[in-house]
Amino acid sequence: MSSPHLPLSRRGVLLAGAGAGAALALAALPAHATARPFGRYGSPERRRTPRTLYVDPYGRGDLTTVQAAVTAATGSGWTLVLAPGVYRETVAVDTTRTEATWIGATENPRDVVIVYDNAAGTPKPGGGIYGTTGSATTTVQADGFTARWITFANDWLRADHPDITGTQAVALKVQGDRSAFHHCRFLGHQDTLYADSTGLGVFARQYFAHCYVEGDVDFVFGRATAVYEGCHFRTLDRTDLAAAPYGFVLAPSTANANPYGYLVSRSRISSAAPDAAYKLARPWVPSSDITARPSLVVRDSWLGPGIDAVAPYTNMSDAFPWESMRFAEYRDTGPGAAITVPGNRPQLTPEQAESATREACLGDWTPWKEC
């Protein structure tokens, strides 16, 4: 872990143009935050509640790193208020730290960035490699977790490590039930956002509202029941590939017994890559659960020209063809949603769409009321 006071320098090249690189360029202490680094959320001198901790990389809070604050917040119901800054560290929230809330103090996710640069193939200090799960900058296993106005990032770059073949580099792995993210950003390349659960038989419900996610290969993936509402997905350009596909936006791995997988609603997909360079999705049937039947509904969303409208879905493995999975769309618009080959774009009927809602997916949990 390096000092949070160091500028990001070359890490600003995570992508050329408007993407993670520009987003992570937070070299200096924001001038507007010097007097009140915690905004309207109090301070160590004016603590909101006994279970509120203040985190500031410049030493004006209770602790200077997010992981130190997580370690100090034992038990349930803690709130962490994060002052502006770049927190270059890995963070893990175990299953015992339930009902936690993290708040970006300025209410602008660009100001609060938690970032590190491990990939699946990165060698571990004690031997071996991290693997996909171990590459995560932030891992949240506890139930009832909520984050607002925070950027979660992994700035590992393929070009810097041509010797590493395990290029998955997770920004956030979230496994808990009732996990909600409001106005957050998730920046990376391959496997950016890992929306998962703690076990094959565990159906974890997750909600992402007004979030921004960018990447290239399977950059939203996992077996959670996850609703993405009002989100923006951004596919990145790639100079290391000569031809499409450059990648895949979604790769759910829903358990067969779970009636609900990923629901994308009232969202949009834009691209920095050439037209039709990306597939919308492919099903992930992991070796740990070959009975998985990935589920995905994309509805009432705008799909930009970066999505291959002719063949938006493809197989991850020919042994598990996408046509046998639970993939469907409903009332999508935009050039990437054009139905040119009907057999390649399964559509819900209006009656089926009545069951493809946030209420159906999340049951008695209503996180949108907390927006």
Side-chain angles (χ1 to χ4, degrees):
M1 183 185 306
S2 62
S3 167
H5 300 273
L6 294 176
L8 290 178
S9 60
R10 57 141 299 281
R11 300 191 184 281
V13 300
L14 237 177
L15 68 143
L24 296 179
L26 296 174
L29 176 65
H32 70 275
T34 55
R36 296 179 59 200
F38 304 107
R40 64 187 181 94
Y41 294 97
S43 67
E45 296 75 29
R46 297 181 301 279
R47 202 173 300 277
R48 293 185 98 194
T49 71
R51 285 186 171 254
T52 300
L53 290 175
Y54 296 88
V55 187
D56 175 44
Y58 302 94
R60 298 165 296 174
D62 298 305
L63 299 142
T64 59
T65 70
V66 180
Q67 184 59 61
V70 170
T71 301
T74 57
S76 182
W78 285 85
T79 296
L80 306 186
V81 181
L82 309 184
V86 176
Y87 298 86
R88 177 158 287 279
E89 56 178 307
T90 59
V91 184
V93 182
D94 66 36
T95 58
T96 68
R97 290 167 164 80
T98 57
E99 312 305 326
T101 299
W102 295 3
I103 298 171
T106 65
E107 301 183 9
N108 182 344
R110 293 178 178 273
D111 293 338
V112 177
V113 179
I114 304 172
V115 59
Y116 209 70
D117 61 347
N118 285 329
T122 300
K124 296 172 68 174
I129 58 176
Y130 283 100
T132 301
T133 289
S135 75
T137 298
T138 302
T139 302
V140 179
Q141 296 182 309
D143 292 343
F145 179 85
T146 299
R148 301 176 185 276
W149 305 298
I150 295 171
T151 293
F152 299 88
N154 189 317
D155 60 357
W156 188 90
L157 293 170
R158 297 183 188 97
D160 290 350
H161 305 276
D163 55 318
I164 291 179
T165 57
T167 58
Q168 300 89 344
V170 178
L172 173 75
K173 179 171 184 176
V174 55
Q175 298 175 279
D177 185 39
R178 294 179 294 103
S179 299
F181 297 83
H182 304 276
H183 304 282
C184 289
R185 297 193 307 157
F186 307 92
L187 311 180
H189 281 263
Q190 183 171 353
D191 291 9
T192 304
L193 174 56
Y194 196 170
D196 205 50
S197 70
T198 54
L200 293 179
V202 178
F203 299 165
R205 296 165 296 171
Q206 298 166 9
Y207 180 69
F208 300 84
H210 311 294
C211 291
Y212 173 87
V213 195
E214 70 179 21
D216 47 43
V217 177
D218 303 330
F219 63 94
V220 181
F221 73 114
R223 65 171 169 255
T225 293
V227 174
Y228 306 89
E229 190 166 56
C231 292
H232 179 188
F233 303 87
R234 178 80 168 170
T235 60
L236 302 179
D237 199 4
R238 296 185 64 174
T239 59
D240 58 320
L241 296 178
Y246 285 12
F248 321 89
V249 180
L250 300 136
S253 58
T254 322
N256 185 47
N258 189 350
Y260 302 107
Y262 284 2
L263 170 64
V264 176
S265 177
R266 295 188 290 112
S267 297
R268 64 189 178 109
I269 300 175
S270 66
S271 183
D275 289 358
Y278 276 84
K279 303 293 187 182
L280 179 59
R282 62 178 182 172
W284 177 32
V285 179
S287 59
S288 58
D289 182 18
I290 61 172
T291 66
R293 193 160 174 257
S295 172
L296 167 68
V297 172
V298 180
R299 62 172 299 168
D300 301 300
S301 295
W302 184 85
L303 312 184
I307 298 299
D308 180 359
V310 175
Y313 305 107
T314 190
N315 301 336
M316 188 175 294
S317 167
D318 289 342
F320 306 104
W322 74 264
E323 293 92 341
S324 66
M325 304 303 168
R326 295 175 285 177
F327 282 10
E329 302 171 51
Y330 185 66
R331 294 193 311 200
D332 294 322
T333 58
I339 303 174
T340 57
V341 181
N344 288 345
R345 307 213 74 144
Q347 302 289 311
L348 297 179
T349 67
E351 292 74 22
Q352 290 171 328
E354 292 178 1
S355 298
T357 64
R358 64 188 184 186
E359 290 83 359
C361 290
L362 302 181
D364 60 357
W365 180 48
T366 56
W368 55 88
K369 294 182 178 179
E370 303 170 5
C371 291

